Structure formats: structure tokens, C-alpha cells
Amino acid sequence: MYDYDVVVIGAGSAGLVACKLAVGLGKRTALIEKRKLGGDCTWFGCIPSKTLIKSANVAHQMTRLQEFGLRPHSPVELDTTMVMAHVRSVVQADADGHPPEVFQAEGIDVLFGAPHFLDNHSIELGNRKVSARKFIVCTGSHPYIPEIKGMADIPYLTNETIFDIEALPKSMIVLGAGPIGVELSAALNRLGVNMTVIQRSADILEKDDRELVNRLVHILRAEGVKILTETEATEFAHNGDRIVASIKNKDSERQIEAESVLISVGRRPNMDGLSLEKAGVEFNSGGIKVDRHLRTTAKNIYACGDVVPPYLFTHVAEYEAIIATTNACFGMPVRRANYEHVLWTTYTDPELAHAGLTEEQARQRYGDSIRVYRWDHKDVDRAKTDLTENGLSKFICDRKGRLLGIHILGHGAGELMHEVQLAKSLGMLFNKIASVIHAYPSYSDAVRQPAKKCYIDILQDNFFLKLLRRISPRKK
């Protein structure tokens, strides 16, 4: 007899979904967390970063008053000393919405501590042994800290510590130009921090479409963010209360200074101390090995979320949690993970939304048979009224109009993409969107108009229309 039917390890996004689904399916369920309920998303990721971004965007709009026909009676001066306190208050309010008592009331036992496996059916938590028929591991990830000379001697920040600072620094060096580094750099720059981003490769946001990324780089640089690509930091040192970074590229070596440094060069799965090997769970530096049903090499143990590569997103963690928990509770492979329709958004301003293949990837796979439909947001009437014309929608289809990729740079891109994502996920042709009545004026024109172009192409390819054009008499 086991203590529980299902024990979920880790109370982040994946773990919270997993334990609620398990108890909803009638299973005796326990949730184990080493730190605080909510995980990375609540405390160090989505909630604090988007709160900071909102403050930054409000600050930016204050600088644009005259563009909207508004003239302040006196110069607008912003005091940013309370920004981080505001961020923390929003985070705490979110955390207060799911205290342990809520889960206990639903029938989920909440246990705190650092567990480690004794075998595939039992763990040790403190001086207590807990057994379960099934385990679901959702322990998340943590920032990767590269080995750079002098790194250990400076007070660097990560996404886990930056939201704890009381006051914004005057300047900051950011190592890494993935979503976290780019989002925070753009936001902090608007709040008056002198930002310098260092990226080893030639491109920022390497997984996104190059055409749109290049536009975004131009926008960020125009706002004052310094982006140094093909550059790496080789050493860090102190210079009084400032930090000196030695950097080099293919042409030169030099030093730059800032008040602080943010490390954002990637993440690593949280597996230390779990003793996964004692449970027969295979893993490597990238995470836990699972099959398409998210079952590990131990047949009664499943894993999901950031501890499973390759997609480290909250929405993917929740998607995986449903699959892993369903399979664990039914004791058979009921569902399998399908990553064909994974999407994400980088919350800069304008936002950058992505789903499916980039143009480069599509051309490599399908050659020049693809069709690319673009719509510049300067031609979207609602963008004209809002002065948010700096954007581009880009949809990649095959010859039949089947969606291969969705890429939108623009105001509200993270919301705008979902209409097309629904069509893509359900196998609908892109041109079908053109026949749907959309509200006017709205940003949806950035989707509907290129869908109309696709509709025209599909019509021109129609065999009967081609035949009709051939047999119809031409006017002389």
C-alpha cells in the first residue's frame, strides 16, 4: 500500500497543473516543493518581468505626449525608485492567490522540503519516507552561470535576483541576448538604465525569424540599447563601485564599465539532489530523458516542464503537465506530446511572436515552393491611430495555403497571433481567415489582409479558373 497514488515534485507551473489534474481524476495526491509555491514563473519569470515591462512601457508613453497632441504644463520627470517595489507587490499578490491552504482544501497534501529518491516508488523528505504508485517530476530550471575569469568575485544578477534590488542602477551589462536578456534590456533602458547587451553569436533571439529580428534590433538600438554581437566577455573585475568587463570580438579587445551585470546566457534543469539514478531515471546535462508520453526510463515516473528539453516556456510546461498526469493516472499512454505547434512571444515593444518554421527553415525544408505573405503595420489603420506602425506580420505557407510559420512583430503580437495559431493547429488553410468578418478598425487587419493575398493566390491556382481563362474569348 502506497502513501499516495501520485506525488508531484515541484510546485511551479507544471507542478500546480499536475497536482490539480491528478486530484481531479480521483487520485490521492501530494505536492512537494523545496522553496515556495508558484515556481520560476511567479517569483522570477513571467509575473515580475511583465510587470516591469508594463512600467517601462508606461514610462515610454510619457515621453511621447506631444506625438498624441498633448502638451504637459511642465517637463515630465519620472521617479523610478518605487518600480521594483511595485514589481514585488504584484508578484506577492499573485502568490497570495494560491497559498498551500487552497491546495489542502482541494485534497492535495502540500509538503515542503528537498526530496531525493530511494527507489522508483519512494522518496525521502527530511527524516520522512514517502511512497507513491506514480511520481511526476516538475522541478524546473535555474540560470546557467558561465565560467568567466573574475565572475565569482562580482555581485552579478540573474533573473532570480534582479527583482530583489531596491533601486535601479544607472548602467548594466547583460550577457546573453535570448528572450530574458532582450526583454529586460529593453524595459530597463526605458526606465533610464544605460544598457549594453553582449552576445557571442552574430544574432540575438537566434530561434526567431531573421527579417523580424533585424527590424527589432534597429528599433532597440534607436531607443539606446547597445547590442554587441559576435562579442564575448573574457574577464570581470572591480573598479571601485563599478564592474569592468573585458570584451573581445574578431577585430579588437577592450573594456567597458557598468554598475551591474545581468547573466542571461541560458538555463539548466534542476536535478541536483534528486538521486534520480536510484529510481532508474536516465538524464543528462540537458534534462530528464522521456518518451513522447513524457514517461521516463522508470515506467512509473513521468517528467514535464523545464526539466524536460527543449522548450522552456510556462505554456509548454502546462501543456506537458496535462499529458504526463493523464498518462500517469490512467496507467497507459493515453496522450503524447506534439511540439509541431509550439509558439512563443518575446515581450519587447513591439512584441515579437513566433510559431512554426522561420522563412529560413521553411526554404531549407521546402525550397522555393513556399509562399511568404507580409503585411507592414504602417498599412494597418488601427496602428495609424495608435502610432504603433513599427511592425510587420509575416506568414509562411506551402503552395496550398497550409500554414508553416507565423511571425509577427508589432503591438500586441502575442495576442494577435492566436487567430492564426488556431488555424495552423486545426489544419485550416490560411486563406480561410479572409472570409471571416473582422472588426474594423482593429489590429486584425495585419492578419486578414495577408490572408486575402493568400486567397487570391489560391484562386489563381484553381484548375477550373485556369481553364476558364484559356477558353474565354479575349477582347481585342
Side-chain angles (χ1 to χ4, degrees):
M1 182 68 179
Y2 299 108
D3 298 325
Y4 297 97
D5 296 316
V6 176
V7 168
V8 178
I9 303 176
S13 300
L16 298 182
V17 170
C19 69
K20 288 188 175 185
L21 179 56
V23 79
L25 292 173
K27 303 300 181 181
R28 288 175 295 123
T29 305
L31 174 65
I32 298 176
E33 171 55 40
K34 184 165 61 173
R35 301 163 77 175
K36 295 182 286 188
L37 299 188
D40 199 72
C41 182
T42 295
W43 297 101
F44 317 121
C46 309
I47 302 301
S49 65
K50 278 50 188 180
T51 305
L52 181 71
I53 288 167
K54 180 62 178 181
S55 293
N57 292 348
V58 170
H60 180 67
Q61 290 298 91
M62 294 291 288
T63 68
R64 303 182 65 198
L65 291 177
Q66 294 194 40
E67 293 181 48
F68 293 92
L70 303 170
R71 183 177 300 171
H73 290 297
S74 58
V76 177
E77 295 184 9
L78 295 176
D79 181 352
T80 63
T81 56
M82 295 300 293
V83 166
M84 300 311 282
H86 164 66
V87 169
R88 289 189 290 272
S89 71
V90 173
V91 169
Q92 190 61 55
D94 180 74
D96 290 344
H98 44 73
E101 294 78 15
V102 170
F103 295 89
Q104 294 284 172
E106 294 182 19
I108 302 165
D109 286 350
V110 180
L111 311 174
F112 287 94
H116 64 89
F117 281 96
L118 299 174
D119 55 52
N120 66 311
H121 280 291
S122 61
I123 60 169
E124 189 172 63
L125 186 65
N127 54 11
R128 175 185 177 185
K129 181 180 177 180
V130 177
S131 63
R133 189 178 302 277
K134 301 289 176 64
F135 285 93
I136 303 173
V137 180
C138 347
T139 47
S141 64
H142 61 273
Y144 168 66
I145 307 302
E147 294 184 3
I148 300 175
K149 185 178 180 181
M151 177 75 76
D153 300 323
I154 64 169
Y156 60 82
L157 299 168
T158 68
N159 74 298
E160 293 187 351
T161 57
I162 188 170
F163 302 110
D164 291 331
I165 63 177
E166 292 299 327
L168 298 179
K170 293 181 179 179
S171 55
M172 181 180 290
I173 296 169
V174 178
L175 290 193
I180 295 174
V182 172
E183 284 184 0
L184 293 179
S185 296
L188 291 170
N189 173 70
R190 287 185 166 184
L191 292 169
V193 184
N194 190 327
M195 302 299 299
T196 301
V197 181
I198 299 174
Q199 172 73 353
R200 292 185 65 175
S201 64
D203 299 302
I204 73 169
L205 301 172
E206 294 177 294
K207 295 181 179 181
D208 285 280
D209 188 88
R210 287 300 94 205
E211 181 180 9
L212 271 62
V213 169
N214 290 338
R215 276 203 179 202
L216 179 59
V217 167
H218 178 77
I219 292 167
L220 294 177
R221 282 177 169 160
E223 287 195 13
V225 180
K226 301 178 186 68
I227 301 174
L228 308 179
T229 56
E230 296 184 280
T231 302
E232 63 177 313
T234 57
E235 184 177 356
F236 288 98
H238 280 285
N239 181 17
D241 59 354
R242 295 174 67 80
I243 298 171
V244 179
S246 298
I247 62 174
K248 70 174 183 178
N249 57 29
K250 60 182 178 180
D251 299 318
S252 64
E253 297 183 25
R254 62 189 176 99
Q255 292 184 329
I256 59 175
E257 290 189 8
E259 285 189 8
S260 60
V261 172
L262 173 67
I263 307 300
S264 181
V265 293
R267 303 187 67 78
R268 295 293 183 269
N270 293 329
M271 300 182 295
D272 290 349
L274 285 175
S275 300
L276 292 169
E277 65 282 354
K278 292 183 180 180
V281 175
E282 293 183 16
F283 61 93
N284 56 35
S285 61
I288 295 176
K289 181 180 178 181
V290 295
D291 61 18
R292 294 303 297 269
H293 308 290
L294 300 179
R295 185 169 61 178
T296 71
T297 50
K299 302 306 181 185
N300 69 307
I301 300 177
Y302 293 75
C304 55
D306 282 11
V307 78
V308 173
Y311 297 106
L312 310 188
F313 299 109
T314 296
H315 49 281
V316 174
E318 294 182 357
Y319 167 75
E320 291 176 340
I322 294 171
I323 294 170
T325 307
T326 301
N327 291 334
C329 290
F330 281 97
M332 62 180 71
V334 178
R335 298 187 61 174
R336 61 185 295 171
N338 179 0
Y339 300 107
E340 181 182 355
H341 301 296
V342 168
L343 76 170
W344 62 79
T345 300
T346 302
Y347 292 92
T348 47
D349 183 19
E351 295 174 359
L352 178 60
H354 171 120
L357 302 178
T358 65
E359 182 178 350
E360 296 91 331
Q361 292 168 337
R363 291 196 184 282
Q364 288 175 2
R365 187 175 301 185
Y366 297 99
D368 291 332
S369 65
I370 64 169
R371 286 171 166 167
V372 181
Y373 298 98
R374 296 176 176 83
W375 196 262
D376 204 300
H377 290 200
K378 65 181 176 58
D379 296 320
V380 175
D381 287 351
R382 182 60 189 272
K384 295 176 184 178
T385 67
D386 293 354
L387 304 186
T388 54
E389 301 164 86
N390 207 346
L392 176 69
S393 295
K394 182 175 180 180
F395 306 100
I396 302 159
C397 301
D398 63 13
R399 298 290 296 184
K400 295 181 179 180
R402 183 170 64 95
L403 281 155
L404 305 175
I406 303 165
H407 307 282
I408 305 175
L409 177 70
H411 177 77
E415 310 296 332
L416 188 60
M417 74 181 304
H418 285 92
E419 177 183 23
V420 199
Q421 172 71 353
L422 181 64
K424 180 177 181 293
S425 300
L426 297 181
M428 293 172 55
L429 300 183
F430 182 45
N431 60 284
K432 296 293 184 181
I433 293 176
S435 63
V436 177
I437 299 174
H438 290 67
Y440 175 88
S442 69
Y443 287 98
S444 64
D445 247 14
V447 171
R448 188 174 64 91
Q449 296 295 350
K452 287 166 63 176
K453 294 169 71 175
C454 180
Y455 173 74
I456 293 171
D457 282 345
I458 298 299
L459 277 181
Q460 291 177 339
D461 285 344
N462 184 278
F463 171 78
F464 295 103
L465 287 179
K466 286 182 177 180
L467 182 62
L468 183 63
R469 284 198 298 267
R470 288 180 180 178
I471 63 177
S472 296
R474 296 181 180 179
K475 292 182 179 180
K476 296 182 179 180

